[in-house]
Amino acid sequence: MASRRDFIKISALGLGAATLSGSVAKATTKGVFGTDKLNKLMTTRTATYCEVCFWKCAGWAYTDGAGKIKKIIGNADDPHCNGRFCPRGTGGVGMYNDEDRLKTPLIRVKDENGNQTFREASWDEAFDVIAKGMQKIAKEHGPECMALFSHGSGGKFWGHLLKAYGSKNISAPSYAQCRGPREVAWIGTFGEGLGSPEPTDIRDTKCLVLIGSHLGENMHNGQVQEMSDAIDKGATIITVDPRFFYRCG
Ligand code: SF4
């Protein structure tokens, strides 16, 4: 089981994989990633948040003189991250700068051999295609025949659009798989839902039982930091992991 120190080391490795230049990367973890030092190195910092997962840690994006994002770090005032992104969030800079990142709409077309492919399009053209398609569906089948199955905050915009369009058929895979049953059970048992992220008190627990899920693997930042603190304070961790079950004989 990783101690708090191990977790910090793992996070620091993720930070090291980001785009800091050589001289900076040689300094110690503590010195390198302090906001004071970053403020001196980069020209601009902008408040942001990470959406690599639903934990949505608040952070700071550091930009160089050319306006290029060089680094993202956690915001110390956010209790979801306590100033420290997990390695996935820190890697957000790599996702942002990835040369294969989709930056323009693509419209599906057929090539001369009849194979489906995509061509780049302007936003105006893409919105026209979507609007015409949606109007056709509404006219021929009714707006309720269009449904939304989304995840992440980007889906909210589509949710507003679908309601304005006339369909209430909006769902999310996370609701069916985990949030929904948990929320309904809590409302039935305690009279209110848990919300998300759920307000747990892992740091002060004496015994943490994880069934079919492992906080360390899910890497929900604040929870993992709390779990590491609990381990340092002597908590017992019991994990029931179906992947380790096997039949003998
Ligand atoms: S837990 Fe990690 S991936 Fe999720 S929002 Fe926070 S920094 Fe991003």
Side-chain angles (χ1 to χ4, degrees):
M1 182 63 65
S3 69
R4 188 165 187 276
R5 197 169 292 116
D6 289 336
F7 174 72
I8 289 168
K9 268 195 222 156
I10 292 165
S11 293
L13 281 174
L15 289 164
T19 54
L20 279 181
S21 64
S23 62
V24 180
K26 279 181 199 145
T28 64
T29 304
K30 200 173 171 193
V32 166
F33 304 114
T35 45
D36 286 350
K37 192 146 193 171
L38 280 167
N39 283 338
K40 279 185 201 144
L41 286 166
M42 313 284 177
T43 52
T44 312
R45 77 167 189 169
T46 309
T48 186
Y49 73 98
C50 172
E51 207 183 10
V52 176
C53 85
F54 77 98
W55 213 248
K56 292 189 178 63
C57 297
W60 295 106
Y62 283 84
T63 316
D64 67 10
K68 197 169 163 61
I69 295 176
K70 303 298 283 185
K71 181 146 195 66
I72 305 174
I73 65 165
N75 185 324
D77 292 330
D78 178 18
H80 288 175
C81 73
N82 303 305
R84 186 174 291 278
F85 272 7
C86 78
R88 287 172 313 182
T90 306
V93 178
M95 289 166 66
Y96 182 79
N97 292 325
D98 193 317
E99 60 185 30
D100 290 330
R101 186 167 72 91
L102 197 57
K103 292 177 187 151
T104 180
L106 300 176
I107 291 182
R108 186 161 50 184
V109 291
K110 282 190 178 168
D111 65 16
E112 61 274 13
N113 300 318
N115 300 319
Q116 292 197 356
T117 182
F118 292 90
R119 68 165 173 81
E120 290 189 1
S122 68
W123 282 104
D124 278 349
E125 185 186 5
F127 283 135
D128 275 352
V129 169
I130 294 166
K132 278 182 193 148
M134 288 178 71
Q135 281 164 355
K136 187 168 184 287
I137 291 169
K139 193 169 168 202
E140 294 177 5
H141 308 286
E144 69 282 0
C145 288
M146 196 159 163
L148 176 67
F149 200 55
S150 74
H151 193 63
S153 65
K156 284 201 169 49
F157 300 107
W158 285 99
H160 294 315
L161 174 66
L162 221 67
K163 281 182 201 160
Y165 175 66
S167 174
K168 293 180 183 165
N169 295 321
I170 301 166
S171 187
S174 57
Y175 197 83
Q177 288 165 3
C178 62
R179 279 178 44 227
R182 186 190 70 190
E183 209 66 5
V184 171
W186 269 73
I187 290 167
T189 309
F190 301 109
E192 63 179 38
L194 260 180
S196 173
E198 57 269 33
T200 50
D201 180 12
I202 294 171
R203 184 170 282 125
D204 298 314
T205 191
K206 302 253 181 315
C207 179
L208 180 66
V209 183
L210 303 167
I211 301 175
S213 164
H214 199 300
L215 295 184
E217 289 185 4
N218 293 351
M219 192 54 91
H220 293 147
N221 198 348
Q223 281 189 334
V224 180
Q225 292 182 34
E226 281 206 24
M227 186 172 78
S228 294
D229 284 348
I231 292 166
D232 285 353
K233 287 162 70 176
T236 302
I237 311 289
I238 300 169
T239 306
V240 182
D241 191 335
R243 292 170 303 180
F244 290 157
F245 290 171
Y246 63 94
R247 291 179 61 159
C248 298

